[in-house]
Amino acid sequence: MSDFDRLCKEFEKMDPLTYSAVIKEKSVGILTALSAITKNGIDGMTIYADFILCSIAADGKLSKEEFSVLQPSLCLLMGKDVTYEDARSMFKELGLDRSKDYKEVMDLMVDILGLVSQELKDDIITVCMMVCAIDGRISFREKRWIRRLIE
């Protein structure tokens, strides 16, 4: 078993309290770093929100279960209440419901990761993996998406 597969299994089995603590800790650091490298800080929040939304959509769907776990973070990132319907609309606006448009968003995300430090990249990928593991399983499509971020 590869280190990647072992790490996926660890995230799939993570208890909710540990999961929340790690996501919170990593998110604060990521938001601080992304805001520092953007001109107005808001762009850093938008970039991070895009990573979260793409992580949720990596398996091609936004389940209510995934949304309910991430809703507080999305509300914080967006600076307003975000409903399940709002999140679904954001997916559509970002093109995450169409594979061709999703590829363009993914290419942009990979480019962004190439501009940040290795530590920040590792933290962003860790959060993305954890988001994919919310439902207790990281699917083949999600693993393929994460591997592309890593490369």
Side-chain angles (χ1 to χ4, degrees), residues 43-69:
D43 293 333
M45 289 178 31
T46 302
I47 292 167
Y48 188 56
D50 287 348
F51 274 103
I52 297 296
L53 290 172
C54 287
S55 298
I56 295 169
D59 63 356
K61 60 187 175 210
L62 170 63
S63 72
K64 287 187 178 185
E65 177 183 63
E66 289 171 321
F67 174 75
S68 67
V69 172

Short mmCIF file of all heavy atoms in Angstrom, two decimals, residues 43-69:
data_model
loop_
_atom_site.label_atom_id
_atom_site.label_comp_id
_atom_site.label_asym_id
_atom_site.label_seq_id
_atom_site.Cartn_x
_atom_site.Cartn_y
_atom_site.Cartn_z
N ASP A 43 -9.28 38.01 -1.96
CA ASP A 43 -8.94 37.02 -2.99
C ASP A 43 -8.45 35.72 -2.37
O ASP A 43 -8.71 34.64 -2.89
CB ASP A 43 -7.90 37.57 -3.95
CG ASP A 43 -8.43 38.72 -4.80
OD1 ASP A 43 -9.65 38.76 -5.04
OD2 ASP A 43 -7.63 39.57 -5.21
N GLY A 44 -7.74 35.81 -1.26
CA GLY A 44 -7.27 34.62 -0.56
C GLY A 44 -8.43 33.78 -0.07
O GLY A 44 -8.41 32.55 -0.17
N MET A 45 -9.46 34.44 0.44
CA MET A 45 -10.65 33.71 0.88
C MET A 45 -11.35 33.07 -0.31
O MET A 45 -11.82 31.94 -0.22
CB MET A 45 -11.59 34.65 1.63
CG MET A 45 -11.05 35.05 2.98
SD MET A 45 -12.05 36.22 3.94
CE MET A 45 -13.70 35.90 3.49
N THR A 46 -11.41 33.77 -1.43
CA THR A 46 -12.05 33.23 -2.63
C THR A 46 -11.29 32.02 -3.15
O THR A 46 -11.90 31.01 -3.52
CB THR A 46 -12.14 34.32 -3.71
OG1 THR A 46 -12.88 35.42 -3.19
CG2 THR A 46 -12.83 33.80 -4.96
N ILE A 47 -9.98 32.11 -3.18
CA ILE A 47 -9.15 30.99 -3.63
C ILE A 47 -9.40 29.77 -2.75
O ILE A 47 -9.60 28.65 -3.24
CB ILE A 47 -7.66 31.37 -3.63
CG1 ILE A 47 -7.37 32.41 -4.71
CG2 ILE A 47 -6.77 30.14 -3.83
CD1 ILE A 47 -6.00 33.07 -4.59
N TYR A 48 -9.41 29.98 -1.44
CA TYR A 48 -9.61 28.86 -0.52
C TYR A 48 -11.02 28.27 -0.68
O TYR A 48 -11.19 27.05 -0.68
CB TYR A 48 -9.36 29.31 0.92
CG TYR A 48 -9.36 28.17 1.89
CD1 TYR A 48 -8.50 27.08 1.72
CD2 TYR A 48 -10.20 28.15 3.00
CE1 TYR A 48 -8.48 26.03 2.61
CE2 TYR A 48 -10.18 27.10 3.89
CZ TYR A 48 -9.33 26.04 3.70
OH TYR A 48 -9.32 24.99 4.58
N ALA A 49 -12.01 29.13 -0.85
CA ALA A 49 -13.38 28.65 -1.07
C ALA A 49 -13.44 27.80 -2.33
O ALA A 49 -14.12 26.76 -2.36
CB ALA A 49 -14.35 29.82 -1.16
N ASP A 50 -12.72 28.20 -3.38
CA ASP A 50 -12.69 27.41 -4.61
C ASP A 50 -12.09 26.03 -4.37
O ASP A 50 -12.58 25.02 -4.90
CB ASP A 50 -11.91 28.14 -5.71
CG ASP A 50 -12.66 29.33 -6.29
OD1 ASP A 50 -13.87 29.46 -6.02
OD2 ASP A 50 -12.03 30.12 -7.01
N PHE A 51 -11.02 25.95 -3.58
CA PHE A 51 -10.44 24.65 -3.26
C PHE A 51 -11.44 23.77 -2.52
O PHE A 51 -11.58 22.59 -2.83
CB PHE A 51 -9.17 24.80 -2.40
CG PHE A 51 -7.92 25.02 -3.21
CD1 PHE A 51 -7.35 26.28 -3.31
CD2 PHE A 51 -7.31 23.96 -3.86
CE1 PHE A 51 -6.20 26.48 -4.05
CE2 PHE A 51 -6.15 24.15 -4.60
CZ PHE A 51 -5.60 25.41 -4.70
N ILE A 52 -12.14 24.35 -1.56
CA ILE A 52 -13.13 23.58 -0.80
C ILE A 52 -14.25 23.09 -1.71
O ILE A 52 -14.63 21.92 -1.68
CB ILE A 52 -13.70 24.42 0.36
CG1 ILE A 52 -12.61 24.79 1.37
CG2 ILE A 52 -14.86 23.69 1.04
CD1 ILE A 52 -11.97 23.64 2.10
N LEU A 53 -14.77 23.99 -2.54
CA LEU A 53 -15.87 23.61 -3.44
C LEU A 53 -15.43 22.54 -4.43
O LEU A 53 -16.17 21.59 -4.71
CB LEU A 53 -16.39 24.84 -4.17
CG LEU A 53 -17.16 25.84 -3.33
CD1 LEU A 53 -17.46 27.10 -4.12
CD2 LEU A 53 -18.44 25.23 -2.79
N CYS A 54 -14.23 22.66 -4.96
CA CYS A 54 -13.73 21.65 -5.90
C CYS A 54 -13.49 20.32 -5.19
O CYS A 54 -13.69 19.26 -5.79
CB CYS A 54 -12.47 22.13 -6.60
SG CYS A 54 -12.79 23.40 -7.83
N SER A 55 -13.07 20.36 -3.94
CA SER A 55 -12.89 19.13 -3.18
C SER A 55 -14.22 18.41 -3.01
O SER A 55 -14.30 17.18 -3.13
CB SER A 55 -12.29 19.43 -1.80
OG SER A 55 -11.03 20.01 -1.92
N ILE A 56 -15.25 19.17 -2.72
CA ILE A 56 -16.58 18.59 -2.56
C ILE A 56 -17.05 18.00 -3.89
O ILE A 56 -17.63 16.91 -3.94
CB ILE A 56 -17.60 19.64 -2.06
CG1 ILE A 56 -17.23 20.09 -0.65
CG2 ILE A 56 -19.01 19.07 -2.09
CD1 ILE A 56 -18.02 21.30 -0.17
N ALA A 57 -16.77 18.69 -4.97
CA ALA A 57 -17.24 18.26 -6.29
C ALA A 57 -16.35 17.22 -6.95
O ALA A 57 -16.69 16.72 -8.02
CB ALA A 57 -17.36 19.48 -7.20
N ALA A 58 -15.23 16.87 -6.34
CA ALA A 58 -14.28 15.96 -6.97
C ALA A 58 -14.90 14.62 -7.36
O ALA A 58 -14.46 13.99 -8.31
CB ALA A 58 -13.07 15.73 -6.06
N ASP A 59 -15.92 14.20 -6.62
CA ASP A 59 -16.57 12.94 -6.99
C ASP A 59 -17.79 13.18 -7.88
O ASP A 59 -18.56 12.27 -8.17
CB ASP A 59 -16.96 12.13 -5.76
CG ASP A 59 -17.98 12.82 -4.87
OD1 ASP A 59 -18.36 13.98 -5.16
OD2 ASP A 59 -18.41 12.20 -3.89
N GLY A 60 -17.97 14.43 -8.32
CA GLY A 60 -19.03 14.75 -9.26
C GLY A 60 -20.36 15.09 -8.65
O GLY A 60 -21.34 15.28 -9.37
N LYS A 61 -20.41 15.20 -7.33
CA LYS A 61 -21.70 15.52 -6.71
C LYS A 61 -21.50 16.25 -5.39
O LYS A 61 -20.46 16.13 -4.74
CB LYS A 61 -22.52 14.25 -6.49
CG LYS A 61 -21.83 13.25 -5.59
CD LYS A 61 -22.58 11.94 -5.52
CE LYS A 61 -21.75 10.97 -4.70
NZ LYS A 61 -21.91 9.63 -5.07
N LEU A 62 -22.49 17.00 -5.02
CA LEU A 62 -22.53 17.68 -3.73
C LEU A 62 -23.65 17.04 -2.93
O LEU A 62 -24.83 17.26 -3.22
CB LEU A 62 -22.80 19.19 -3.89
CG LEU A 62 -23.09 19.96 -2.60
CD1 LEU A 62 -21.89 19.93 -1.66
CD2 LEU A 62 -23.50 21.38 -2.90
N SER A 63 -23.28 16.22 -1.97
CA SER A 63 -24.31 15.58 -1.16
C SER A 63 -24.70 16.52 -0.03
O SER A 63 -23.94 17.39 0.38
CB SER A 63 -23.79 14.26 -0.59
OG SER A 63 -22.83 14.49 0.41
N LYS A 64 -25.90 16.33 0.46
CA LYS A 64 -26.36 17.14 1.60
C LYS A 64 -25.50 16.86 2.82
O LYS A 64 -25.26 17.76 3.63
CB LYS A 64 -27.84 16.86 1.89
CG LYS A 64 -28.74 17.47 0.84
CD LYS A 64 -30.20 17.34 1.20
CE LYS A 64 -31.03 18.03 0.12
NZ LYS A 64 -32.45 18.06 0.44
N GLU A 65 -25.02 15.63 2.94
CA GLU A 65 -24.15 15.27 4.06
C GLU A 65 -22.85 16.07 4.01
O GLU A 65 -22.41 16.64 5.01
CB GLU A 65 -23.86 13.77 4.02
CG GLU A 65 -22.90 13.30 5.10
CD GLU A 65 -22.58 11.83 4.96
OE1 GLU A 65 -21.99 11.44 3.92
OE2 GLU A 65 -22.90 11.09 5.89
N GLU A 66 -22.22 16.11 2.83
CA GLU A 66 -20.99 16.89 2.68
C GLU A 66 -21.26 18.36 2.99
O GLU A 66 -20.48 19.01 3.69
CB GLU A 66 -20.46 16.77 1.25
CG GLU A 66 -19.88 15.42 0.91
CD GLU A 66 -19.58 15.28 -0.57
OE1 GLU A 66 -20.36 15.77 -1.41
OE2 GLU A 66 -18.55 14.66 -0.87
N PHE A 67 -22.34 18.87 2.44
CA PHE A 67 -22.66 20.28 2.66
C PHE A 67 -22.89 20.57 4.14
O PHE A 67 -22.38 21.57 4.65
CB PHE A 67 -23.88 20.70 1.83
CG PHE A 67 -24.31 22.10 2.14
CD1 PHE A 67 -23.58 23.18 1.66
CD2 PHE A 67 -25.40 22.34 2.95
CE1 PHE A 67 -23.95 24.47 1.97
CE2 PHE A 67 -25.78 23.63 3.27
CZ PHE A 67 -25.05 24.70 2.78
N SER A 68 -23.62 19.72 4.83
CA SER A 68 -23.94 20.00 6.23
C SER A 68 -22.70 20.06 7.11
O SER A 68 -22.63 20.87 8.03
CB SER A 68 -24.94 18.98 6.78
OG SER A 68 -24.36 17.71 6.86
N VAL A 69 -21.70 19.25 6.79
CA VAL A 69 -20.46 19.27 7.57
C VAL A 69 -19.66 20.54 7.27
O VAL A 69 -19.04 21.13 8.15
CB VAL A 69 -19.62 18.01 7.27
CG1 VAL A 69 -18.25 18.10 7.91
CG2 VAL A 69 -20.35 16.77 7.76
#
